[in-house]
Amino acid sequence: MCQTAENLTDLLFPRRCPLCQRILTQKGELICEACAKELPYIKEPKCMICSRPIRDERKMLCGICENKVHYFIRGDCTFIYEGKLRDALMRLKFNNHREYADFFAAAVAAHAKAFLGEIHPQVLLPVPMNRKKRKERGFDQCALIGRKISERTGIPIQTDNLVRIRYTRAQKGLDAAARRENLRGAFRVRRPEQLPESVLVFDDIYTTGATLDEVSFTLRQCGIRQIYFICICSVLN
């Protein structure tokens, strides 16, 4: 887009803060100053495997990771899934506010910088939507945000290799066992030979890890062992 067209777009459709909806006046600004100070970043203490916040500073793992062996090695989540941040992510997904993708990608890339520097992933794989759901929504939010994370981190992305091969009902409201059963056999890798040794999976919300475990199990079936993840949000333990 040329500079004139970009300026006209900004004038007609000014970018708004994803959290409070105020118009952003500074060029390149992705969130207003007030909301930036209130972002619910995940801080220590947190689970050393899934990055979920934990309340007991003496523990190293959350309640789920204490009692479950995951197919992934570990991951990093940026925010606690709550309040205005949660509402902004819901507006992106269900009200077509795709412009928020820049904010979420920038936040995740910045927060995960040290983690990515430790693990050196060779490819980024967004968790895919089922074709039917993608058609209903009009876009795949993980692929959209994933591409922007790839641009910011330099990690190559594959958006068509990992696919969801069957329709699954929404995970919300399901317990851990039901989540696992709902996702069983839901993913497939089209071209296993194109996957490198170290893979980074991207999803928007981490709840119990069921989705990431099923994706990771599918990748392990292809011989991949170095599997990590990043997520925008994690629910509280």
Side-chain angles (χ1 to χ4, degrees):
M1 183 184 294
C2 68
Q3 191 64 44
T4 302
E6 184 177 347
N7 292 340
L8 181 60
T9 299
D10 290 342
L11 180 64
L12 296 175
F13 306 101
R15 186 182 290 270
R16 293 178 179 271
C17 173
L19 273 66
C20 72
Q21 303 291 288
R22 293 191 186 98
I23 292 177
L24 299 173
T25 58
Q26 300 298 318
K27 186 174 179 61
E29 195 176 18
L30 300 177
I31 184 174
C32 76
E33 185 176 352
C35 287
K37 294 178 180 178
E38 298 177 357
L39 286 170
Y41 283 105
I42 292 176
K43 302 175 182 178
E44 297 289 354
K46 61 182 181 179
C47 177
M48 64 180 297
I49 293 179
C50 75
S51 187
R52 185 199 305 271
I54 53 180
R55 295 182 175 88
D56 191 340
E57 295 184 358
R58 298 169 298 177
K59 291 189 174 183
M60 300 181 69
L61 302 178
C62 69
I64 292 177
C65 292
E66 278 183 332
N67 297 292
K68 178 176 174 54
V69 177
H70 295 288
Y71 290 105
F72 54 79
I73 297 175
R74 62 190 178 101
D76 184 81
C77 301
T78 301
F79 299 114
I80 299 171
Y81 184 58
E82 65 179 17
K84 292 180 180 179
L85 193 285
R86 175 194 60 215
D87 295 341
L89 185 54
M90 291 299 98
R91 284 195 296 273
L92 183 153
K93 294 171 65 172
F94 301 113
N95 297 111
N96 201 26
H97 280 279
R98 304 186 206 188
E99 68 274 16
Y100 294 174
D102 290 308
F103 160 69
F104 284 114
V108 170
H111 188 269
K113 184 176 181 180
F115 172 67
L116 298 178
E118 293 174 11
I119 64 173
H120 303 292
Q122 297 167 288
V123 70
L124 178 66
L125 295 178
V127 172
M129 294 179 70
N130 176 270
R131 185 181 301 177
K132 180 180 178 182
K133 286 187 178 179
R134 186 171 63 247
K135 186 176 181 180
E136 291 172 352
R137 188 171 297 175
F139 68 102
D140 182 331
Q141 76 275 355
C142 284
L144 173 66
I145 300 170
R147 290 188 186 97
K148 294 179 180 295
I149 292 174
S150 174
E151 292 171 1
R152 289 179 174 274
T153 62
I155 303 170
I157 187 171
Q158 294 181 14
T159 58
D160 64 346
N161 199 355
L162 176 68
V163 294
R164 192 180 294 243
I165 57 176
R166 67 177 181 82
Y167 190 89
T168 56
R169 58 182 173 140
Q171 294 281 83
K172 186 177 180 180
L174 301 179
D175 62 22
R179 285 171 180 265
R180 290 193 298 271
E181 187 59 34
N182 185 43
L183 290 163
R184 196 178 305 278
F187 301 99
R188 180 171 68 86
V189 175
R190 285 175 170 168
R191 300 178 300 277
E193 71 280 0
Q194 292 185 7
L195 291 177
E197 294 180 359
S198 181
V199 169
L200 181 67
V201 182
F202 168 66
D203 202 2
D204 53 0
I205 304 169
Y206 186 97
T207 305
T208 65
T211 300
L212 288 163
D213 266 321
E214 187 61 30
V215 168
S216 299
F217 175 78
T218 302
L219 293 171
R220 282 183 174 270
Q221 295 294 99
C222 298
I224 307 301
R225 294 293 179 268
Q226 295 182 43
I227 305 167
Y228 304 90
F229 76 83
I230 51 174
C231 285
I232 296 171
C233 304
S234 173
V235 300
L236 287 171
N237 188 21

